[in-house]
Amino acid sequence: MIARDAFVSRFGGVYEHSPFIAERAYDRGLIREPLTAKAVAEALAAVFREAPEDERLGVLRAHPDLAGKLAIAGGLTEESRREQAGAGLDRLSPEEHAEFTELNSAYIDKFNFPFIIAVSGLNKDDILSAFRRRIDSSEAVELETACAEVEKIAGLRLRNMLSE
C-alpha cells in the first residue's frame, strides 16, 4: 500500500492548494491499490462533497481567475497554467482579456469565489459563453456547478497522472 506521505505528496494538489482532501481520503481508508484515476477521483470527490461548506468554498477560492493576474504574473500552479494555455487563455487579444477581467470581477463580487470551469476540450469562446451564461445563475446553482467543475478538473488531472 502506498504510504500516506507519498500519497499526499503525489495527489495533494489535485484539488487546488487543498491537500486536506487527499489526507482525509487516505485516513478514511478510501484509497486502495492499484491506484486508478477513477478510484482515486471517486475517493477524493467523496471527501470534497462531505466537507463543510466553508471548506468547499476554501477549495473554490484556491482556484485562480481564468486569464487573471496570477496567469499574467506567472503565479499559476503548473496544472492550472497548462490547462489555461490548452484553452488558449494565454493568447487573448486585449479586448478578450478586458472581458475576462470584467467578468472575473463581476463573478467574484456576486459569488465570492472565482469562476471555475474544466477548460479541457474548450476554447476561449466556449469559456466566455459559459462565463456569460453562468454569471446570471443563483448562488445555490452556481455553488453546485462550481463544485462539480472542481471535481471534473480533479478527474482530468488524475487521468493525466495515472494510467488505467
Side-chain angles (χ1 to χ4, degrees), residues 17-86:
H17 300 293
S18 301
F20 77 90
I21 302 284
E23 292 166 349
R24 289 180 189 168
Y26 191 94
D27 293 345
R28 287 183 46 206
L30 300 177
I31 304 306
R32 305 262 191 272
E33 289 189 316
L35 298 177
T36 65
K38 183 178 189 285
V40 174
E42 287 173 357
L44 298 181
V47 169
F48 176 64
R49 282 186 214 118
E50 292 171 5
E53 185 173 309
D54 64 318
E55 288 183 340
R56 285 194 323 272
L57 284 168
V59 172
L60 299 180
R61 291 179 184 133
H63 280 261
D65 292 347
L66 292 175
K69 292 176 228 137
L70 276 180
I72 293 167
L76 296 176
T77 63
E78 181 57 30
E79 293 86 358
S80 289
R81 186 203 59 73
R82 192 172 39 252
E83 291 158 0
Q84 289 196 28

Side-chain angles (χ1 to χ4, degrees), residues 107 116 134 137 139-150:
Y107 188 95
I116 300 169
R134 284 176 48 194
S137 294
E139 287 183 40
V141 167
E142 197 52 26
L143 176 61
E144 184 178 319
T145 301
C147 287
E149 290 295 318
V150 164

Side-chain angles (χ1 to χ4, degrees), residues 65-69 92 94-110 115 128 131-132 135:
D65 292 347
L66 292 175
K69 292 176 228 137
L92 298 175
E95 296 79 19
E96 291 166 330
H97 188 267
E99 184 172 9
F100 267 98
T101 299
E102 184 179 312
L103 285 167
N104 279 324
S105 293
Y107 188 95
I108 289 172
D109 286 347
K110 182 173 182 180
F115 177 77
L128 275 172
F131 217 147
R132 292 178 194 124
I135 202 157

